[in-house]
Amino acid sequence: MTDDNSNKRLTRRNALRIAGAAGAASLAGCGGSDGGDGSSGDGSSGDGGDGTSGDGSSGEDSTDSGPQYGTLEVAHWWGEGDGLEAIQSVMDAFKEQHPDVPFDENLIAGGAGDNLQANIRTRVQNGNHPSTWQSWPGNNLLPFTDANLLKDIGDSVWSENSMEDAYLQGVKDAAQPAGNYVTVPLNIHRINNLFYNVEVVEDAGVDPTALETPSDLVDALATVSDAGYTGMAHQTGAPWSSFQMFATVLLGETDAETYSAIFVDGEVDANSDALESAVETTQSYLDYIPSDAGSISWTEANNQVINGEAAFLHQGDWAAGTYITNDLAYGEEWDHVTFPGTDGYYALNMDSFPYPVNNPSPEATTLWCRFVGTAEAQEIFNPKKGSIPPRTDVNTDPFNDFSKDQIEDFQNSDAQPPSVAHGLAAPPAVKSSLESAISSLNSGAAPADVVSQISNAY
């Protein structure tokens, strides 16, 4: 990496690449919609984020009394509920530790992150982006790394607080989409959960713990339907629910290596048979969803599980919060199993905070990224958010019993495949095209046609 590249600024040419390539971060999960993306590509030398960091900024001034920090602007989309409380608690803790850092919380809520991502693209074009912002890590950040707009923070951040030792490999991979660390994950939401109403499955004579394959679940849904219940609480008005279901089915019918080969590496044609099978299985599930699935949200569908009208829900672990807030007893009234066929895997959806070059507050942003990566910050944030910490050394006492079980599964997992429906596995433009393929899946298109659309996405 040359000095010229290290000092590369947010030029209009690079900004336009972001505007064209970085599609909006849509879907639920962490955003909370319905309750609920040769050269290292970093554009910097990664030397610590201070006033002479080579990140294209003028840096903060220093005096005999210490550094004079520029204003740290942290943008996020957690506009209400548990997410807002969680991030503000982290911000309060940071400000208490660093009272000399001017702090600007920039809440851009709405659209499950769409509004924030559109704002970031506009501000990148105008050259006045925030210090850092909430973003899905992984390949969702490739448009930024391809344009050399994110700084290598391996030395300045990831070498601190035993971070590399405390993160599992799947999380570390997502934090370095171009081969070097450019962002810090704060939380993890699991995608491969299967929730259920205990009374309904018992009345129908179904044992969720006995389901070994995605096809076994088809038979269970038929049995539940024969007993007079809705089999799978689900919505199809937006493609993301079926997208994450389809990806989870594929993971359950194959393995983490095949999943990664398809969604991360784009090896679609070589795995067309596996993809067609996953489409067929997912479409079989859709025979047992609510009749109004096309016009309801996932939370409205999930109300059928809460009310005892439906048996199962496939959703990220944020769904557990709806059961808890409805005072349903975990293990007695509601429960979950790992989605059939995916034992040993912890499919990741995460939020992170990247470090951009040309940073308006380099030293302060380094302090923020370091803090986000600490056990302290993750212990503050995740119990409130209903997520789990990426670090494996966080005290679990503040977490509820469900989250403690999830933490145990995560720490004992064999692999942590990145969510494709939430932007970690595929860059934004690819993900957008994949969503169109999933819309066809929802509409009953032939599996071969859906797989052809998936192939075209890459």
Side-chain angles (χ1 to χ4, degrees):
M1 185 67 67
T2 66
D3 289 340
D4 287 342
N5 281 337
S6 296
N7 291 317
K8 197 162 188 174
R9 291 179 176 271
L10 289 174
T11 64
R12 178 169 179 79
R13 179 180 178 183
N14 281 338
L16 291 174
R17 292 177 67 183
I18 293 295
S26 54
L27 314 182
C30 297
S33 175
D34 294 331
D37 144 299
S39 170
S40 64
D42 64 340
S44 76
S45 60
D47 60 1
D50 58 17
T52 58
S53 62
D55 63 356
S57 70
S58 58
E60 283 92 3
D61 296 328
S62 295
T63 68
D64 291 340
S65 61
Q68 301 295 307
Y69 296 103
T71 298
L72 175 66
E73 181 186 352
V74 178
H76 68 92
W77 69 65
W78 287 301
E80 60 184 4
D82 53 6
L84 181 60
E85 179 186 0
I87 192 60
Q88 289 184 335
S89 294
V90 171
M91 291 175 175
D92 289 343
F94 176 84
K95 287 184 282 187
E96 183 176 350
Q97 288 192 16
H98 303 285
D100 52 344
V101 175
F103 197 97
D104 178 16
E105 176 190 1
N106 185 3
L107 169 60
I108 305 174
D114 276 348
N115 294 343
L116 172 61
Q117 299 306 321
N119 177 273
I120 295 299
R121 291 196 301 274
T122 298
R123 292 184 61 181
V124 165
Q125 291 182 50
N126 294 335
N128 67 339
H129 61 83
S131 307
T132 186
W133 58 87
Q134 177 189 358
S135 180
W136 295 327
N139 285 349
N140 177 63
L141 292 175
L142 282 179
F144 290 88
T145 59
D146 286 347
N148 290 341
L149 298 179
L150 295 182
K151 179 179 171 65
D152 185 335
I153 55 174
D155 291 336
S156 61
V157 175
W158 277 83
S159 65
E160 302 289 325
N161 303 310
S162 303
M163 283 180 61
E164 286 207 83
D165 293 334
Y167 281 73
L168 296 186
Q169 192 59 48
V171 181
K172 290 191 287 188
D173 289 344
Q176 42 185 337
N180 56 301
Y181 291 110
V182 295
T183 193
V184 180
L186 174 62
N187 65 324
I188 294 174
H189 281 294
R190 188 183 198 179
I191 303 301
N192 57 318
N193 299 291
L194 183 64
F195 297 98
Y196 59 91
N197 182 301
V198 172
E199 183 178 353
V200 171
V201 298
E202 288 181 349
D203 185 58
V206 169
D207 179 6
T209 66
L211 304 178
E212 296 182 354
T213 69
S215 294
D216 290 344
L217 181 55
V218 177
D219 296 335
L221 296 178
T223 300
V224 168
S225 180
D226 290 342
Y229 301 98
T230 297
M232 180 73 77
H234 191 69
Q235 69 84 23
T236 57
W240 67 269
S241 290
S242 294
F243 195 178
Q244 64 181 17
M245 179 185 286
F246 161 71
T248 305
V249 168
L250 179 74
L251 180 64
E253 291 188 341
T254 59
D255 51 42
E257 291 75 21
T258 303
Y259 176 99
S260 178
I262 293 171
F263 292 126
V264 178
D265 301 330
E267 297 177 3
V268 175
D269 294 342
N271 295 284
S272 59
D273 289 346
L275 282 161
E276 285 192 32
S277 176
V279 171
E280 291 173 357
T281 301
T282 305
Q283 289 180 329
S284 295
Y285 296 163
L286 301 185
D287 291 335
Y288 303 101
I289 64 176
S291 59
D292 57 352
S295 60
I296 60 176
S297 67
W298 81 263
T299 51
E300 291 171 321
N302 192 32
N303 284 338
Q304 293 192 19
V305 176
I306 293 171
N307 297 332
E309 302 170 45
F312 292 101
L313 172 79
H314 169 250
Q315 199 53 257
D317 59 12
W318 50 84
T322 63
Y323 306 130
I324 293 170
T325 56
N326 279 275
D327 296 323
L328 299 181
Y330 175 48
E332 298 177 13
E333 296 176 280
W334 70 278
D335 211 333
H336 78 106
V337 292
T338 303
F339 196 90
T342 67
D343 283 344
Y345 298 141
Y346 206 98
L348 302 175
N349 185 23
M350 295 183 287
D351 292 295
S352 72
F353 288 91
Y355 189 115
V357 301
N358 196 33
N359 200 296
S361 56
E363 282 190 347
T365 305
T366 296
L367 292 176
W368 170 260
C369 287
R370 287 177 179 172
F371 184 66
V372 167
T374 63
E376 175 187 357
Q378 294 179 20
E379 182 180 328
I380 292 170
F381 181 87
N382 288 285
K384 292 182 172 65
K385 182 64 175 67
S387 49
I388 72 165
R391 292 185 68 113
T392 58
D393 58 353
V394 174
N395 179 18
T396 61
D397 288 345
F399 292 84
N400 60 46
D401 289 343
F402 168 74
S403 292
K404 288 178 181 177
D405 288 346
Q406 295 282 88
I407 291 171
E408 182 178 2
D409 282 356
F410 170 66
Q411 295 186 359
N412 293 319
S413 60
D414 299 319
Q416 305 86 43
S419 170
V420 62
H422 299 273
L424 277 70
V430 172
K431 182 174 73 68
S432 178
S433 296
L434 291 174
E435 289 171 357
S436 297
I438 299 303
S439 294
S440 296
L441 180 156
N442 279 337
S443 299
D449 293 339
V450 175
V451 173
S452 177
Q453 291 184 59
I454 292 173
S455 178
N456 290 338
Y458 289 89

